[in-house]
Amino acid sequence: MNTNIEKRTTEELLTFVFDSINKIAGLRSRDRLLPELAKMGRDIVYADRCTIWILNRRTNRLWTKVAQDVEPFEMSADMGLVGCGIEENESLIINDVQSDSRFNSHIDKETGYTTKSMIVIPMENKGGKVIGALQVINKQNGTLFTETDLTHLKLASSYASETLSTILLMEEIEETQRELINIMGVTGENRSKETGLHVKRVAEYSWLLGKLYGLSEEECDVLKDVSPMHDIGKIGIPDAILNKPGRLTEDEMTIMKTHASLGYDILRYSELKLLKAASVVAYEHHEKYDGSGYPNGTKAEDIHIYGRITALADVFDALGSERVYKKAWEDEKIFKLFEEERGKHFDPKLIDLFMKNKNKFLAIRDEFKDAF
Amino acid sequence: MNTNIEKRTTEELLTFVFDSINKIAGLRSRDRLLPELAKMGRDIVYADRCTIWILNRRTNRLWTKVAQDVEPFEMSADMGLVGCGIEENESLIINDVQSDSRFNSHIDKETGYTTKSMIVIPMENKGGKVIGALQVINKQNGTLFTETDLTHLKLASSYASETLSTILLMEEIEETQRELINIMGVTGENRSKETGLHVKRVAEYSWLLGKLYGLSEEECDVLKDVSPMHDIGKIGIPDAILNKPGRLTEDEMTIMKTHASLGYDILRYSELKLLKAASVVAYEHHEKYDGSGYPNGTKAEDIHIYGRITALADVFDALGSERVYKKAWEDEKIFKLFEEERGKHFDPKLIDLFMKNKNKFLAIRDEFKDAF
């Protein structure tokens, strides 16, 4: 490693670059991306350290993550050489940092690390707006950074900036999706006077049940994402029935029960994975393990695992929550009911997993408690 | 270009690779991605042609796009050397293609192009499942493909596969988002017995008005994406008012009008660009240019351009559509109203743009006509 990049053979160089970009191209979050980009920047010029800084214009602060399992680090965007490079939108190559008046020696003093040489390259988005900076510190084996190093790092920095923009956009889209689903769930619930936290808790219980059941991480995430839509069909139920204070008549109950099929009808026409999963949850969350549920009286494992899980999560939350028309049940009373309904209303395997991990479910309930 | 990759200087190689990946990292759709990946594959081994094939397992067909403005090309996944490579999940390097019995000479005969040498590399996703193949044809200057070429192409192929997976995922998420918004719009409309096509038409009119008004492509797309949510607040209006057959009383109208603020309240808490835009549309689509609208009586350019546009698009569609309780207005009657309401209900600039481009709006209405 202690040679110049110019000494690498073509093979070594190609392998190094592609190893880096193949790893990077598969990443889906900025937390994972930043350390990998930094590693690439560091190795491309044989530096000791490399940091990719993201600029938050609102707070005028710089943000980074040096390793995936390390807390993010923040500092003011006005400080030091990185701040200078960003402010002036200019690359800096400084081989005697300590005698540079713009250098902020504060961090060195705190960490005991001595900064000798440094390159700072501002990163721009397509619109030419600075979105952050790439910084390398201390050339390995004590030599100086060269103009060639700067040229190479600029290539890496453009790449970092493109990749970062894509990931930030992707994170925004995913977050939008999640919020849209929550809004759909909450608007459905609002009509039936449930609280927004109900859908959140059901989502968390569902994720945990999926995990305990042995579903893959990806399946658990999908289930968590879509479970807030389980009652979306209530949008089609008349207010007079949906919000009736007393007991429903048999006719009213028949109409109320159509919400499962209504939800299914709203979602079923999509070919998209997430919406397909949502349609299953909307359709089957009132089926019962012994076949006595609705709308189809489907039995046991013929009910999709997503349906079996949401059924349990939904009932657990409804029983344990206080409503205008009822008090919350005592936990012991809920557990007793679950034991009785094991293999009747609920999948026996799920009940066993729930009972064995009760405390985890109660902890979720505490975390997302309704505020009255 | 007619030298071997081994002969490139380190600088040339680095510049070549980074030029390619910088372009690729900024792409957001597979239509743009495939030609760029192919160009990279071609140049890395100095081949004459390169194609990136995507496998559709459902139809068992291979799909590609050789240039952004060229129609996609499809073929059976069972055919020829590419089919072989995918079937066996094995890389092939063949320097005498014409005498290989697996070669499908059909395309050569059709195009008049003579395939001499070929490399095929199956592309795998993270799960090890084949998702397509990279194919290069005919080494430039008539030499043969070497094992080194294969090694280099494998690097490019892993990169292509990672990048492709990310883009496909991103496309799926964006599509899911669009469908979720449509579902939200349609469920809102369902409660008020509007048709699903109403929100679609309003979205198309809004996009066109934005374009004519001079908004950027991106702003137009955002407006189109969010306009289906303009009536989302109707979810909070009681059925008895929302679906009342006759005229609303003054009190009922007061309640009905709250749907604008209700929609705003549902969406306003988000920091996300798309939902912020949606909240504006929900809030302001009943404001009028002269300040006589609701909920705030905002005037002229103080009404966000998204609000002014959706107001016009929504009214144009409502008037021109047949409903259970009313016939569709004649076009001339609508245009007359628009002229009268120029500067009163509607932004005069938007009315002028609309009148000058009437036919485009009528064409959209025809394309998304309600079927009775």
Side-chain angles (χ1 to χ4, degrees):
Chain A
M1 283 283 280
N2 283 329
T3 50
N4 276 324
I5 193 169
E6 294 77 13
K7 303 277 166 57
R8 276 170 174 148
T9 67
T10 307
E11 288 312 310
E12 282 166 358
L13 187 63
L14 264 187
T15 308
F16 158 67
V17 174
F18 273 102
D19 275 358
S20 306
I21 65 176
N22 282 349
K23 224 179 270 162
I24 289 165
L27 298 178
R28 308 261 190 268
S29 77
R30 82 180 85 172
D31 283 12
R32 289 167 186 265
L33 181 65
L34 291 191
E36 284 302 331
L37 286 172
K39 218 180 283 175
M40 183 185 198
R42 185 193 67 193
D43 291 348
I44 223 166
V45 293
Y46 298 99
D48 191 35
R49 293 183 177 191
C50 177
T51 311
I52 311 280
W53 297 96
I54 299 184
L55 176 63
N56 183 334
R57 289 196 174 270
R58 208 170 40 78
T59 59
N60 196 35
R61 288 181 76 77
L62 293 165
W63 182 98
T64 194
K65 188 105 180 172
V66 294
Q68 209 209 309
D69 47 1
V70 169
E71 284 297 298
F73 182 78
E74 272 194 46
M75 66 175 191
S76 161
D78 295 325
M79 268 169 35
L81 290 162
V82 175
C84 256
I86 284 179
E87 167 92 24
E88 313 276 327
N89 192 7
E90 206 167 8
S91 299
L92 306 174
I93 169 165
I94 298 144
N95 277 311
D96 184 10
V97 165
Q98 296 291 339
S99 68
D100 194 305
S101 62
R102 300 167 296 182
F103 176 59
N104 168 25
S105 56
H106 188 71
I107 296 174
D108 270 18
K109 273 179 202 135
E110 240 177 42
T111 57
Y113 180 86
T114 309
T115 305
K116 291 176 200 143
S117 49
M118 190 190 293
I119 291 181
V120 174
I121 301 176
M123 299 191 304
E124 292 182 354
N125 68 8
K126 284 215 176 73
K129 222 167 136 183
V130 177
I131 60 167
L134 181 152
Q135 173 195 35
V136 292
I137 297 180
N138 291 358
K139 183 103 175 171
Q140 281 180 23
N141 68 23
T143 59
L144 305 178
F145 284 123
T146 64
E147 286 295 327
T148 311
D149 286 335
L150 185 65
T151 308
H152 291 163
L153 261 190
K154 277 187 178 165
L155 295 172
S157 142
S158 307
Y159 176 66
S161 148
E162 290 288 0
T163 314
L164 204 53
S165 300
T166 303
I167 289 276
L168 293 181
L169 181 67
M170 196 149 168
E171 285 186 355
E172 168 140 0
I173 298 174
E174 283 188 297
E175 219 183 304
T176 305
Q177 176 174 297
R178 228 166 282 129
E179 278 208 34
L180 279 172
I181 291 175
N182 261 321
I183 288 171
M184 285 174 80
V186 172
T187 45
E189 297 297 336
N190 267 351
R191 287 200 64 233
S192 64
K193 310 279 183 262
E194 298 273 358
T195 75
L197 286 166
H198 168 64
V199 298
K200 210 164 216 122
R201 287 188 302 259
V202 171
E204 296 290 339
Y205 300 146
S206 299
W207 188 91
L208 180 53
L209 279 167
K211 198 75 197 149
L212 295 169
Y213 191 85
L215 301 185
S216 73
E217 192 85 14
E218 197 196 329
E219 287 172 306
C220 293
D221 288 345
V222 167
L223 176 58
K224 182 179 166 187
D225 278 348
V226 303
S227 71
M229 287 191 270
H230 67 275
D231 268 344
I232 189 76
K234 283 194 179 165
I235 255 155
I237 305 295
D239 308 317
I241 295 173
L242 198 60
N243 297 317
K244 185 177 172 184
R247 240 189 130 73
L248 297 182
T249 66
E250 208 170 307
D251 284 352
E252 287 166 342
M253 191 42 112
T254 306
I255 295 172
M256 184 64 166
K257 285 181 172 176
T258 62
H259 84 271
S261 308
L262 282 174
Y264 181 56
D265 284 340
I266 289 170
L267 299 162
R268 67 194 286 195
Y269 299 102
S270 179
E271 281 299 320
L272 295 162
K273 192 177 66 180
L274 208 74
L275 295 181
K276 264 194 182 318
S279 77
V280 167
V281 167
Y283 203 30
E284 297 196 333
H285 73 287
H286 283 292
E287 297 290 357
K288 295 183 177 180
Y289 197 78
D290 63 5
S292 67
Y294 67 86
N296 292 317
T298 311
K299 262 190 196 170
E301 272 73 34
D302 287 344
I303 309 167
H304 192 284
I305 181 63
Y306 283 179
R308 279 176 277 150
I309 286 177
T310 325
L312 181 53
D314 192 26
V315 170
F316 173 62
D317 195 66
L319 294 178
S321 303
E322 191 175 327
R323 294 292 145 77
V324 187
Y325 52 90
K326 73 164 190 68
K327 283 224 164 293
W329 280 29
E330 300 287 328
D331 291 342
E332 285 312 315
K333 196 173 160 196
I334 297 176
F335 301 149
K336 195 164 156 267
L337 176 90
F338 277 9
E339 295 287 11
E340 285 164 17
E341 293 292 337
R342 184 179 180 284
K344 291 180 195 162
H345 188 156
F346 303 115
D347 179 344
K349 191 172 165 200
L350 287 175
I351 289 290
D352 294 346
L353 292 167
F354 179 93
M355 297 305 281
K356 232 182 278 171
N357 297 276
K358 267 187 245 177
N359 292 336
K360 293 183 188 160
F361 291 91
L362 295 175
I364 292 173
R365 194 175 66 192
D366 272 356
E367 194 182 338
F368 299 98
K369 206 158 42 192
D370 294 302
F372 283 110
Chain B
M1 280 285 280
N2 282 327
T3 49
N4 276 324
I5 193 167
E6 294 78 12
K7 302 277 165 58
R8 275 170 176 149
T9 67
T10 306
E11 288 312 311
E12 283 168 355
L13 186 63
L14 263 187
T15 308
F16 159 67
V17 173
F18 273 102
D19 275 358
S20 307
I21 64 176
N22 283 350
K23 223 177 273 163
I24 288 165
L27 299 177
R28 308 261 190 269
S29 77
R30 82 179 84 172
D31 282 12
R32 288 166 187 267
L33 180 66
L34 291 191
E36 284 302 329
L37 286 172
K39 219 180 282 174
M40 182 185 197
R42 184 194 67 192
D43 292 347
I44 222 166
V45 292
Y46 297 98
D48 191 37
R49 296 183 173 190
C50 176
T51 311
I52 311 280
W53 298 96
I54 299 184
L55 176 62
N56 183 335
R57 288 198 174 270
R58 206 171 40 80
T59 58
N60 195 37
R61 290 181 75 78
L62 293 165
W63 182 98
T64 194
K65 187 105 177 169
V66 294
Q68 209 208 311
D69 48 0
V70 167
E71 283 298 297
F73 182 79
E74 273 194 46
M75 65 175 194
S76 161
D78 294 327
M79 268 169 36
L81 290 162
V82 176
C84 254
I86 285 179
E87 167 92 26
E88 314 276 330
N89 192 5
E90 207 169 8
S91 299
L92 306 174
I93 168 166
I94 299 146
N95 277 310
D96 183 10
V97 165
Q98 295 291 339
S99 68
D100 194 305
S101 63
R102 298 167 297 180
F103 176 59
N104 168 24
S105 56
H106 188 69
I107 296 174
D108 269 17
K109 273 179 203 136
E110 241 177 42
T111 58
Y113 180 88
T114 308
T115 305
K116 291 173 200 144
S117 49
M118 191 189 294
I119 291 182
V120 174
I121 301 175
M123 299 191 302
E124 291 182 357
N125 68 8
K126 284 217 176 70
K129 223 166 135 184
V130 177
I131 60 165
L134 181 154
Q135 172 195 37
V136 291
I137 296 180
N138 291 0
K139 183 104 175 168
Q140 281 177 22
N141 69 21
T143 58
L144 303 180
F145 285 123
T146 63
E147 285 296 325
T148 311
D149 288 333
L150 184 65
T151 308
H152 292 164
L153 262 189
K154 276 185 179 167
L155 295 172
S157 141
S158 307
Y159 176 66
S161 146
E162 289 290 0
T163 313
L164 204 53
S165 301
T166 303
I167 289 276
L168 294 181
L169 181 66
M170 197 148 166
E171 285 186 353
E172 169 141 358
I173 297 172
E174 284 189 297
E175 218 182 309
T176 305
Q177 175 173 297
R178 227 165 283 130
E179 278 209 33
L180 279 172
I181 292 175
N182 262 321
I183 288 170
M184 285 173 79
V186 172
T187 44
E189 298 296 335
N190 268 350
R191 282 200 67 234
S192 64
K193 310 279 184 265
E194 298 274 356
T195 74
L197 286 167
H198 168 64
V199 298
K200 213 168 215 117
R201 286 187 304 257
V202 171
E204 297 290 341
Y205 300 145
S206 300
W207 189 90
L208 180 54
L209 280 167
K211 197 75 196 152
L212 295 169
Y213 190 86
L215 300 185
S216 73
E217 191 86 15
E218 199 196 328
E219 288 171 303
C220 293
D221 289 346
V222 167
L223 175 58
K224 182 180 166 185
D225 278 349
V226 303
S227 73
M229 285 191 272
H230 67 274
D231 269 342
I232 189 76
K234 285 194 178 165
I235 255 154
I237 305 297
D239 308 317
I241 294 173
L242 198 60
N243 297 317
K244 186 178 170 182
R247 243 187 128 71
L248 297 183
T249 67
E250 207 170 308
D251 284 355
E252 286 166 344
M253 191 44 108
T254 306
I255 295 172
M256 185 61 166
K257 284 181 172 177
T258 62
H259 85 272
S261 308
L262 282 173
Y264 181 58
D265 284 340
I266 288 170
L267 299 162
R268 67 193 285 194
Y269 298 102
S270 180
E271 281 298 319
L272 296 163
K273 192 176 66 180
L274 208 75
L275 295 180
K276 263 192 182 319
S279 77
V280 167
V281 166
Y283 203 29
E284 298 195 332
H285 73 288
H286 284 291
E287 297 291 358
K288 295 183 178 178
Y289 197 76
D290 62 5
S292 67
Y294 66 86
N296 292 318
T298 311
K299 263 190 197 167
E301 271 73 34
D302 288 346
I303 308 165
H304 191 285
I305 182 62
Y306 284 179
R308 280 177 276 149
I309 286 178
T310 327
L312 182 53
D314 192 24
V315 170
F316 173 62
D317 196 66
L319 294 179
S321 303
E322 192 176 328
R323 294 290 146 74
V324 186
Y325 53 89
K326 73 162 191 70
K327 283 226 162 294
W329 280 29
E330 300 287 330
D331 292 341
E332 286 311 316
K333 196 175 162 194
I334 298 177
F335 300 150
K336 193 162 158 272
L337 177 90
F338 277 9
E339 294 288 11
E340 284 166 18
E341 293 291 337
R342 184 179 180 284
K344 293 181 195 163
H345 189 156
F346 304 116
D347 181 345
K349 191 173 166 198
L350 287 175
I351 290 291
D352 294 346
L353 292 168
F354 180 93
M355 297 304 281
K356 230 181 279 170
N357 297 276
K358 270 185 241 176
N359 292 337
K360 291 182 188 159
F361 291 90
L362 296 176
I364 292 173
R365 195 176 66 191
D366 271 358
E367 194 182 339
F368 299 99
K369 211 166 27 202
D370 294 302
F372 282 107

